Amino acid sequence: MSGFAPGTFTPAPGRGRLGRMLWAQTRTEAVLTLRNGEQVLLTVLIPVALLVALSLMSVVPMPEPRVGSAVARILALAVISSAFTGQAIALGFDRRYGVLKRLAATALPRWLLVAGRVAAGFAVVAVQVVILCVTALLLGWQPPTAAGALWAVVLLVLGTLSFGALGVLLGGALRAEIVLALANIAWFLLLLVGGVALGVDGLPSWLVTVVELLPSAALAEGLQSALVDGSAPGVRPVLVLIAWGVAAGTLASRTTKLG
Amino acid sequence: MEVSGLVKKYGSVVAVDGLDLVVERGSVLALLGPNGAGKTTTVEVCEGFRRADGGSVRVLGSDPRSPDLRARVGVMPQGGGGYPGVRADEMLRLVAACAARPLDPAWLLDVLGLSGVGRTPYKRLSGGQQQRLSLACALVGRPELVFLDEPTAGMDPQARRLVWELVGALRSDGVSVLLTTHLMDEAEALADAVVIMDGGRVVAAGTPAELTSPHADDQQLRFRARPGLDLSLLTGALPEGLRVREASRGTYLVQGRIDPQVVSTVTSWCAQQGVLAEELTVARRSLEDVFLDLTGRELRS
């Protein structure tokens, strides 16, 4: 009765090459993010629009040079958008649609599942950085010194890892709709009072102490030093980012559910 | 694959309670039972997704949680699985990339009737299409052992036939299959061995033939005729130990040891009554009957 040639399904199991698996997974995840309209809105369009607005309009107080300060803050926002909010929402719905379980049942090792996601996160941040920097140059941005640019890259990597861990913590444990709501609210709050859109300078002093301990303010402040002053970030912003990343990563490794 | 004394609890609820089963290499075993019988829990323990609370499970000679096992086993989880926005062909290619010698994804999509939706995002596929993609993902790595959890749920009859044909091809090519189903005909058509579960326990196990072969004195003769016939004469004419009843309006059932003499008695009684017995059959018990007998409940309730 069978229409299949004998031997079609004869077992020939084996694990694919690690490099090929990593590439396939990274590529799939990065392409999915960049193909998703809402993700593009969140990770590219809104940051570009805010960059233009902050650079050209003086509604929000901003240290001079204005475009340089705007780039620093909007790059921080871009990382929050993709590594945290976008990541959390995607993970929430990926779990809903059972893809983690599906992939966990293949020969893909668990560490590679995480590595692929991290690599895709970096790929998306790289695309964001290129688009935002080109936009900034068109707005008359003076590029930073080589040392400042290098520090900026270090901070962006650290920020992506730290916010990525927070995104996984949120997206890996709760129901997709709740993740969607919380991730957007958190994005909005960090933008407004997390030391991103508004620098910490304008805030009451008791609030400054709190906000300075947030990873958003740490990233924005560090990028401001690197991109505007061309200097190394202070120790505090770096420690704050590492502390949040380690804490969130440790917690997420216990709370993240496949389905 | 061997499971013995498997126990799995969720809080105070015992989902699987001392289950034993063996899947011989190259054979198909069907776990049959109603929803909530513990089928999926059992399969998920065997797949390594859940930890057993008791008993032992060996899959291809290894602990089911062993990472080395993943490449040798194909899994079709209940309800499938894919990125919401991933295209069907991208998903299958991704899973194929995890295997050393995969089947050709394009061919497999075609076989499963998914070529036309290869570029459709996963979340826009119908339930049956998602199931078929999930089956493709389970098979693409050319595994030795395949777990299929409710493989035909949500499929139309044509797709179900196709899956049956595929399972037949897997079996003849030496792939072992553990599948769960609540469909009797599926278990009867596909399985070399059937394990019937209810309430986390095995209530019966054997080949479909063993399970359904009538005990010599537990056969049934069924026929249709005008409703409301007086059966007392027939009961009197039949040998001792045979039970006669109108099972539903116009359908009559004679249960017990059915031999040619019994058939003859029934037809002559019909002639005396001046009625024509239609659809007269001497039926084998179905697995459905077996389940009903063992648990007192319908399988699909």
Side-chain angles (χ1 to χ4, degrees):
Chain A
M1 71 158 219
S2 171
F4 300 102
T8 306
F9 297 104
T10 302
R15 194 175 71 177
R17 290 199 315 277
L18 288 177
R20 185 149 174 270
M21 285 194 272
L22 182 61
W23 167 244
Q25 216 228 327
T26 305
R27 191 179 154 276
T28 305
E29 297 223 2
V31 165
L32 285 176
T33 303
L34 297 173
R35 206 160 62 196
N36 180 314
E38 287 147 47
Q39 293 273 10
V40 170
L41 180 70
L42 176 74
T43 56
V44 178
L45 298 181
I46 291 177
V48 166
L50 285 174
L51 175 64
V52 173
L54 287 182
S55 304
L56 300 181
M57 299 189 292
S58 43
V59 183
V60 178
M62 184 92 60
E64 291 297 330
R66 203 170 170 85
V67 183
S69 300
V71 170
R73 291 178 185 190
I74 296 303
L75 283 178
L77 177 70
V79 168
I80 298 171
S81 297
S82 68
F84 173 70
T85 301
Q87 167 87 266
I89 295 170
L91 183 57
F93 283 95
D94 286 354
R95 283 170 50 231
R96 155 79 52 85
Y97 281 87
V99 72
L100 298 188
K101 218 167 179 178
R102 164 77 272 159
L103 292 175
T106 66
L108 201 70
R110 297 286 168 100
W111 65 263
L112 208 143
L113 197 61
V114 177
R117 222 164 167 109
V118 171
F122 280 128
V124 173
V125 169
V127 170
Q128 292 175 292
V129 168
V130 168
I131 292 175
L132 288 169
C133 287
V134 168
T135 309
L137 288 171
L138 294 174
L139 292 166
W141 178 43
Q142 299 292 315
T145 61
L150 209 61
W151 275 115
V153 170
V154 171
L155 283 161
L156 287 170
V157 168
L158 197 56
T160 304
L161 289 174
S162 200
F163 276 102
L166 284 162
V168 171
L169 178 62
L170 177 58
L174 303 172
R175 275 188 33 219
E177 288 77 12
I178 297 173
V179 172
L180 182 67
L182 290 180
N184 281 317
I185 292 169
W187 181 88
F188 204 63
L189 287 178
L190 291 178
L191 172 67
L192 291 184
V193 294
V196 178
L198 295 167
V200 291
D201 317 340
L203 298 170
S205 63
W206 64 270
L207 197 55
V208 170
T209 329
V210 178
V211 170
E212 278 183 345
L213 293 175
L214 291 177
S216 49
L219 183 57
E221 192 188 322
L223 286 170
Q224 171 89 21
S225 316
L227 293 176
V228 179
D229 311 330
S231 63
V235 175
R236 185 183 40 76
V238 173
L239 285 182
V240 167
L241 282 176
I242 292 175
W244 278 94
V246 169
T250 311
L251 207 55
S253 68
R254 286 182 203 160
T255 56
T256 300
K257 290 179 279 201
L258 292 180
Chain B
M1 196 190 105
E2 207 168 333
V3 174
S4 66
L6 175 66
V7 176
K8 178 70 197 176
K9 297 174 194 163
Y10 299 114
S12 61
V13 180
V14 181
V16 179
D17 189 5
L19 178 115
D20 302 307
L21 62 84
V22 175
V23 185
E24 302 289 350
R25 197 169 280 271
S27 76
V28 177
L29 183 136
L31 263 183
L32 180 69
N35 293 334
K39 305 187 298 288
T40 295
T41 300
T42 302
V43 170
E44 290 193 340
V45 169
C46 298
E47 289 165 353
F49 280 132
R50 295 185 189 281
R51 209 181 285 276
D53 293 319
S56 83
V57 179
R58 302 297 289 174
V59 176
L60 302 172
S62 310
D63 184 292
R65 299 179 72 85
S66 153
D68 298 334
L69 209 50
R70 299 274 74 79
R72 302 172 64 194
V73 172
V75 173
M76 176 179 179
Q78 196 166 30
Y83 293 99
V86 78
R87 292 170 183 152
D89 61 351
E90 283 174 334
M91 189 66 211
L92 186 56
R93 276 172 218 288
L94 174 60
V95 175
C98 300
R101 290 167 289 274
L103 296 168
D104 175 11
W107 173 81
L108 199 51
L109 282 178
D110 187 41
V111 162
L112 284 164
L114 293 171
S115 299
V117 293
R119 296 180 63 75
T120 305
Y122 183 77
K123 65 179 169 191
R124 296 206 204 294
L125 296 174
S126 73
Q129 287 167 340
Q130 290 183 349
Q131 286 283 93
R132 276 180 276 158
L133 178 61
S134 182
L135 179 59
C137 290
L139 301 183
V140 74
R142 307 185 70 163
E144 293 168 55
L145 168 67
V146 180
F147 293 105
L148 308 176
D149 197 357
E150 302 273 352
T152 58
M155 285 188 187
D156 57 35
Q158 199 187 344
R160 177 168 296 156
R161 280 280 154 203
L162 179 69
V163 172
W164 288 14
E165 200 181 315
L166 263 172
V167 171
L170 289 172
R171 180 167 159 269
S172 34
D173 284 342
V175 181
S176 318
V177 179
L178 173 61
L179 65 88
T180 72
T181 182
H182 60 268
L183 301 175
M184 292 295 173
D185 53 345
E186 191 158 286
E188 292 194 70
L190 296 182
D192 299 300
V194 176
V195 170
I196 304 183
M197 282 184 82
D198 188 44
R201 292 167 178 275
V202 174
V203 292
T207 65
E210 282 165 5
L211 288 170
T212 58
S213 72
H215 308 293
D217 47 4
D218 189 19
Q219 291 160 286
Q220 53 178 245
L221 182 152
R222 183 189 293 265
F223 63 95
R224 292 179 55 78
R226 176 158 53 77
L229 292 172
D230 179 5
L231 298 171
S232 55
L233 263 176
L234 177 57
T235 311
L238 286 168
E240 194 101 354
L242 282 166
R243 301 174 303 284
V244 185
R245 64 193 168 93
E246 188 173 352
S248 62
R249 204 178 137 73
T251 299
Y252 296 86
L253 215 54
V254 181
Q255 286 176 294
R257 180 191 286 270
I258 311 291
D259 56 23
Q261 194 55 50
V262 170
V263 180
S264 162
T265 307
V266 170
T267 47
S268 22
W269 172 78
C270 286
Q272 279 169 19
Q273 301 287 314
V275 298
L276 180 66
E278 296 171 336
E279 301 172 25
L280 187 139
T281 49
V282 178
R284 244 172 34 133
R285 298 197 312 167
S286 68
L287 280 175
E288 202 117 27
D289 302 325
V290 175
F291 184 82
L292 189 63
D293 289 353
L294 290 168
T295 65
R297 287 184 294 112
E298 297 281 345
L299 187 67
R300 264 181 286 184
S301 50

